mmCIF file of all heavy atoms in Angstrom:
data_model
loop_
_atom_site.group_PDB
_atom_site.id
_atom_site.type_symbol
_atom_site.label_atom_id
_atom_site.label_comp_id
_atom_site.label_asym_id
_atom_site.label_seq_id
_atom_site.Cartn_x
_atom_site.Cartn_y
_atom_site.Cartn_z
ATOM 1 N N LEU A 28 0.776 -1.200 -0.066
ATOM 2 C CA LEU A 28 0.048 -0.035 0.026
ATOM 3 C C LEU A 28 0.782 1.289 0.014
ATOM 4 O O LEU A 28 0.506 2.084 -0.818
ATOM 5 C CB LEU A 28 -1.059 -0.036 1.190
ATOM 6 C CG LEU A 28 -1.924 1.140 1.275
ATOM 7 C CD1 LEU A 28 -2.842 1.270 0.003
ATOM 8 C CD2 LEU A 28 -2.741 1.026 2.619
ATOM 9 N N PRO A 29 1.873 1.447 0.892
ATOM 10 C CA PRO A 29 2.660 2.720 0.943
ATOM 11 C C PRO A 29 3.325 2.912 -0.476
ATOM 12 O O PRO A 29 3.374 4.019 -1.057
ATOM 13 C CB PRO A 29 3.651 2.542 2.022
ATOM 14 C CG PRO A 29 3.020 1.548 2.908
ATOM 15 C CD PRO A 29 2.341 0.569 1.954
ATOM 16 N N LEU A 30 3.836 1.775 -1.098
ATOM 17 C CA LEU A 30 4.598 1.981 -2.393
ATOM 18 C C LEU A 30 3.694 2.473 -3.464
ATOM 19 O O LEU A 30 3.957 3.183 -4.189
ATOM 20 C CB LEU A 30 5.169 0.655 -2.709
ATOM 21 C CG LEU A 30 6.327 0.166 -1.718
ATOM 22 C CD1 LEU A 30 6.856 -1.219 -2.094
ATOM 23 C CD2 LEU A 30 7.486 1.105 -1.667
ATOM 24 N N ALA A 31 2.461 1.750 -3.468
ATOM 25 C CA ALA A 31 1.572 2.085 -4.584
ATOM 26 C C ALA A 31 0.982 3.582 -4.298
ATOM 27 O O ALA A 31 0.711 4.217 -5.267
ATOM 28 C CB ALA A 31 0.363 1.096 -4.396
ATOM 29 N N TRP A 32 0.739 3.912 -3.030
ATOM 30 C CA TRP A 32 0.271 5.233 -2.715
ATOM 31 C C TRP A 32 1.308 6.361 -3.289
ATOM 32 O O TRP A 32 0.924 7.333 -3.772
ATOM 33 C CB TRP A 32 0.125 5.439 -1.270
ATOM 34 C CG TRP A 32 -0.790 6.639 -0.815
ATOM 35 C CD1 TRP A 32 -0.772 7.876 -1.200
ATOM 36 C CD2 TRP A 32 -1.982 6.494 -0.104
ATOM 37 N NE1 TRP A 32 -1.832 8.652 -0.679
ATOM 38 C CE2 TRP A 32 -2.605 7.695 0.004
ATOM 39 C CE3 TRP A 32 -2.610 5.394 0.621
ATOM 40 C CZ2 TRP A 32 -3.703 7.939 0.736
ATOM 41 C CZ3 TRP A 32 -3.817 5.617 1.267
ATOM 42 C CH2 TRP A 32 -4.345 6.883 1.354
ATOM 43 N N VAL A 33 2.686 6.202 -3.081
ATOM 44 C CA VAL A 33 3.721 7.063 -3.540
ATOM 45 C C VAL A 33 3.716 7.111 -4.939
ATOM 46 O O VAL A 33 3.854 8.091 -5.635
ATOM 47 C CB VAL A 33 5.103 6.633 -2.984
ATOM 48 C CG1 VAL A 33 6.143 7.405 -3.672
ATOM 49 C CG2 VAL A 33 5.014 6.810 -1.477
ATOM 50 N N HIS A 34 3.607 5.921 -5.746
ATOM 51 C CA HIS A 34 3.647 5.856 -7.110
ATOM 52 C C HIS A 34 2.500 6.330 -7.913
ATOM 53 O O HIS A 34 2.653 7.142 -8.865
ATOM 54 C CB HIS A 34 3.809 4.446 -7.380
ATOM 55 C CG HIS A 34 4.168 4.175 -8.950
ATOM 56 N ND1 HIS A 34 3.035 3.810 -9.818
ATOM 57 C CD2 HIS A 34 5.195 4.319 -9.719
ATOM 58 C CE1 HIS A 34 3.503 3.739 -11.050
ATOM 59 N NE2 HIS A 34 4.771 4.027 -11.011
ATOM 60 N N SER A 35 1.225 6.070 -7.324
ATOM 61 C CA SER A 35 0.077 6.424 -8.129
ATOM 62 C C SER A 35 -0.996 7.105 -7.303
ATOM 63 O O SER A 35 -2.177 7.305 -7.802
ATOM 64 C CB SER A 35 -0.548 5.129 -8.763
ATOM 65 O OG SER A 35 -0.807 4.220 -7.877
ATOM 66 N N GLY A 36 -0.665 7.486 -6.041
ATOM 67 C CA GLY A 36 -1.760 8.141 -5.222
ATOM 68 C C GLY A 36 -2.604 7.188 -4.495
ATOM 69 O O GLY A 36 -2.430 6.023 -4.392
ATOM 70 N N ALA A 37 -3.660 7.861 -3.921
ATOM 71 C CA ALA A 37 -4.446 7.078 -2.975
ATOM 72 C C ALA A 37 -5.274 6.012 -3.826
ATOM 73 O O ALA A 37 -5.390 6.159 -5.083
ATOM 74 C CB ALA A 37 -5.471 7.953 -2.412
ATOM 75 N N PRO A 38 -5.692 4.829 -3.237
ATOM 76 C CA PRO A 38 -6.381 3.815 -3.998
ATOM 77 C C PRO A 38 -7.556 4.460 -4.690
ATOM 78 O O PRO A 38 -8.268 5.307 -4.048
ATOM 79 C CB PRO A 38 -6.687 2.897 -2.804
ATOM 80 C CG PRO A 38 -5.587 2.994 -1.776
ATOM 81 C CD PRO A 38 -5.383 4.494 -1.830
ATOM 82 N N ARG A 39 -7.959 3.932 -5.819
ATOM 83 C CA ARG A 39 -9.101 4.505 -6.560
ATOM 84 C C ARG A 39 -10.415 4.032 -5.851
ATOM 85 O O ARG A 39 -11.469 4.430 -6.330
ATOM 86 C CB ARG A 39 -9.074 3.981 -7.887
ATOM 87 C CG ARG A 39 -7.718 4.437 -8.725
ATOM 88 C CD ARG A 39 -7.845 3.906 -10.063
ATOM 89 N NE ARG A 39 -6.478 3.978 -10.734
ATOM 90 C CZ ARG A 39 -6.268 3.370 -11.929
ATOM 91 N NH1 ARG A 39 -7.161 2.855 -12.717
ATOM 92 N NH2 ARG A 39 -4.962 3.517 -12.472
ATOM 93 N N LEU A 40 -10.322 3.150 -4.943
ATOM 94 C CA LEU A 40 -11.567 2.672 -4.211
ATOM 95 C C LEU A 40 -12.250 3.908 -3.585
ATOM 96 O O LEU A 40 -13.356 3.876 -3.475
ATOM 97 C CB LEU A 40 -11.279 1.699 -3.165
ATOM 98 C CG LEU A 40 -10.943 0.171 -3.673
ATOM 99 C CD1 LEU A 40 -10.468 -0.621 -2.469
ATOM 100 C CD2 LEU A 40 -12.075 -0.441 -4.332
ATOM 101 N N PHE A 41 -11.483 4.884 -3.261
ATOM 102 C CA PHE A 41 -11.884 6.043 -2.569
ATOM 103 C C PHE A 41 -12.511 7.178 -3.536
ATOM 104 O O PHE A 41 -13.395 8.021 -3.117
ATOM 105 C CB PHE A 41 -10.858 6.728 -1.642
ATOM 106 C CG PHE A 41 -10.306 5.808 -0.714
ATOM 107 C CD1 PHE A 41 -8.870 5.762 -0.570
ATOM 108 C CD2 PHE A 41 -11.135 5.001 0.105
ATOM 109 C CE1 PHE A 41 -8.406 4.932 0.405
ATOM 110 C CE2 PHE A 41 -10.557 4.244 1.052
ATOM 111 C CZ PHE A 41 -9.187 4.193 1.316
ATOM 112 N N THR A 42 -12.252 6.975 -4.867
ATOM 113 C CA THR A 42 -12.679 8.029 -5.752
ATOM 114 C C THR A 42 -13.594 7.448 -6.930
ATOM 115 O O THR A 42 -14.177 8.248 -7.600
ATOM 116 C CB THR A 42 -11.454 8.700 -6.410
ATOM 117 O OG1 THR A 42 -10.603 7.747 -7.070
ATOM 118 C CG2 THR A 42 -10.690 9.431 -5.353
ATOM 119 N N ALA A 43 -13.574 6.164 -7.037
ATOM 120 C CA ALA A 43 -14.379 5.555 -8.185
ATOM 121 C C ALA A 43 -15.809 5.561 -7.777
ATOM 122 O O ALA A 43 -16.258 5.567 -6.633
ATOM 123 C CB ALA A 43 -13.933 3.982 -8.363
ATOM 124 N N PRO A 44 -16.673 5.616 -8.908
ATOM 125 C CA PRO A 44 -18.202 5.552 -8.671
ATOM 126 C C PRO A 44 -18.570 4.387 -7.783
ATOM 127 O O PRO A 44 -17.979 3.263 -7.953
ATOM 128 C CB PRO A 44 -18.635 5.422 -10.115
ATOM 129 C CG PRO A 44 -17.637 6.016 -10.923
ATOM 130 C CD PRO A 44 -16.335 5.731 -10.369
ATOM 131 N N TRP A 45 -19.366 4.564 -6.902
ATOM 132 C CA TRP A 45 -19.739 3.552 -5.915
ATOM 133 C C TRP A 45 -20.357 2.346 -6.611
ATOM 134 O O TRP A 45 -20.220 1.222 -6.131
ATOM 135 C CB TRP A 45 -20.731 4.146 -4.901
ATOM 136 C CG TRP A 45 -22.165 4.308 -5.404
ATOM 137 C CD1 TRP A 45 -22.633 5.480 -5.881
ATOM 138 C CD2 TRP A 45 -23.231 3.409 -5.559
ATOM 139 N NE1 TRP A 45 -23.871 5.383 -6.164
ATOM 140 C CE2 TRP A 45 -24.356 4.177 -6.024
ATOM 141 C CE3 TRP A 45 -23.411 2.026 -5.194
ATOM 142 C CZ2 TRP A 45 -25.516 3.580 -6.276
ATOM 143 C CZ3 TRP A 45 -24.483 1.500 -5.436
ATOM 144 C CH2 TRP A 45 -25.669 2.226 -5.998
ATOM 145 N N GLN A 46 -21.042 2.580 -7.704
ATOM 146 C CA GLN A 46 -21.522 1.462 -8.535
ATOM 147 C C GLN A 46 -20.421 0.557 -8.911
ATOM 148 O O GLN A 46 -20.686 -0.761 -8.872
ATOM 149 C CB GLN A 46 -22.398 1.995 -9.704
ATOM 150 C CG GLN A 46 -23.596 2.779 -9.370
ATOM 151 C CD GLN A 46 -23.250 4.211 -9.416
ATOM 152 O OE1 GLN A 46 -22.125 4.667 -9.159
ATOM 153 N NE2 GLN A 46 -24.241 5.064 -9.732
ATOM 154 N N ASP A 47 -19.330 1.075 -9.476
ATOM 155 C CA ASP A 47 -18.303 0.221 -9.843
ATOM 156 C C ASP A 47 -17.646 -0.623 -8.633
ATOM 157 O O ASP A 47 -17.315 -1.829 -8.820
ATOM 158 C CB ASP A 47 -17.182 1.082 -10.532
ATOM 159 C CG ASP A 47 -17.606 1.553 -11.918
ATOM 160 O OD1 ASP A 47 -18.714 1.180 -12.329
ATOM 161 O OD2 ASP A 47 -16.762 2.298 -12.439
ATOM 162 N N VAL A 48 -17.427 0.180 -7.508
ATOM 163 C CA VAL A 48 -16.872 -0.561 -6.370
ATOM 164 C C VAL A 48 -17.840 -1.638 -5.765
ATOM 165 O O VAL A 48 -17.428 -2.793 -5.505
ATOM 166 C CB VAL A 48 -16.564 0.490 -5.281
ATOM 167 C CG1 VAL A 48 -16.102 -0.065 -4.055
ATOM 168 C CG2 VAL A 48 -15.567 1.633 -5.803
ATOM 169 N N ALA A 49 -19.168 -1.279 -5.818
ATOM 170 C CA ALA A 49 -20.061 -2.334 -5.375
ATOM 171 C C ALA A 49 -20.083 -3.516 -6.227
ATOM 172 O O ALA A 49 -20.183 -4.772 -5.701
ATOM 173 C CB ALA A 49 -21.518 -1.716 -5.263
ATOM 174 N N ALA A 50 -20.120 -3.298 -7.558
ATOM 175 C CA ALA A 50 -20.158 -4.477 -8.484
ATOM 176 C C ALA A 50 -18.888 -5.316 -8.459
ATOM 177 O O ALA A 50 -18.930 -6.566 -8.365
ATOM 178 C CB ALA A 50 -20.337 -3.963 -10.030
ATOM 179 N N GLN A 51 -17.707 -4.728 -8.288
ATOM 180 C CA GLN A 51 -16.512 -5.356 -8.055
ATOM 181 C C GLN A 51 -16.452 -6.105 -6.675
ATOM 182 O O GLN A 51 -15.922 -7.303 -6.679
ATOM 183 C CB GLN A 51 -15.315 -4.486 -8.318
ATOM 184 C CG GLN A 51 -15.054 -3.941 -9.573
ATOM 185 C CD GLN A 51 -14.735 -5.070 -10.696
ATOM 186 O OE1 GLN A 51 -14.280 -6.235 -10.346
ATOM 187 N NE2 GLN A 51 -15.141 -4.808 -12.004
ATOM 188 N N ALA A 52 -16.982 -5.442 -5.715
ATOM 189 C CA ALA A 52 -16.976 -6.118 -4.337
ATOM 190 C C ALA A 52 -17.785 -7.357 -4.349
ATOM 191 O O ALA A 52 -17.498 -8.497 -3.892
ATOM 192 C CB ALA A 52 -17.552 -5.208 -3.269
ATOM 193 N N LEU A 53 -18.967 -7.327 -5.083
ATOM 194 C CA LEU A 53 -19.830 -8.501 -5.131
ATOM 195 C C LEU A 53 -19.251 -9.553 -6.068
ATOM 196 O O LEU A 53 -19.099 -10.793 -5.665
ATOM 197 C CB LEU A 53 -21.185 -8.047 -5.812
ATOM 198 C CG LEU A 53 -22.123 -9.199 -6.065
ATOM 199 C CD1 LEU A 53 -22.589 -9.905 -4.895
ATOM 200 C CD2 LEU A 53 -23.366 -8.717 -6.999
ATOM 201 N N GLY A 54 -18.572 -9.179 -7.188
ATOM 202 C CA GLY A 54 -18.023 -10.176 -8.084
ATOM 203 C C GLY A 54 -16.669 -10.700 -7.631
ATOM 204 O O GLY A 54 -16.476 -11.938 -7.640
ATOM 205 N N GLN A 55 -15.734 -9.864 -7.184
ATOM 206 C CA GLN A 55 -14.467 -10.376 -6.782
ATOM 207 C C GLN A 55 -14.468 -10.931 -5.333
ATOM 208 O O GLN A 55 -14.000 -12.137 -5.144
ATOM 209 C CB GLN A 55 -13.599 -9.111 -6.696
ATOM 210 C CG GLN A 55 -13.298 -8.351 -7.897
ATOM 211 C CD GLN A 55 -12.392 -9.140 -8.921
ATOM 212 O OE1 GLN A 55 -11.656 -10.028 -8.501
ATOM 213 N NE2 GLN A 55 -12.370 -8.761 -10.223
ATOM 214 N N GLY A 56 -15.180 -10.408 -4.409
ATOM 215 C CA GLY A 56 -15.153 -10.908 -3.032
ATOM 216 C C GLY A 56 -16.114 -11.860 -2.739
ATOM 217 O O GLY A 56 -15.738 -12.982 -2.090
ATOM 218 N N VAL A 57 -17.316 -11.702 -3.188
ATOM 219 C CA VAL A 57 -18.365 -12.599 -2.784
ATOM 220 C C VAL A 57 -18.572 -13.716 -3.725
ATOM 221 O O VAL A 57 -18.490 -14.917 -3.343
ATOM 222 C CB VAL A 57 -19.641 -11.843 -2.615
ATOM 223 C CG1 VAL A 57 -20.918 -12.819 -2.240
ATOM 224 C CG2 VAL A 57 -19.635 -10.847 -1.617
#
């Protein structure tokens, strides 16, 4: 996480549309 944060900024999970995050959470995690 720290290396990625320095290289490309904060995770896109915090800025991406919630619909995209929800769909990926359902598909990837569940």
Side-chain angles (χ1 to χ4, degrees):
L28 181 59
L30 299 176
W32 201 304
V33 170
H34 182 265
S35 55
R39 301 180 197 174
L40 288 172
F41 301 133
T42 57
W45 71 266
Q46 297 94 332
D47 289 355
V48 176
Q51 292 294 337
L53 176 63
Q55 299 285 341
V57 179

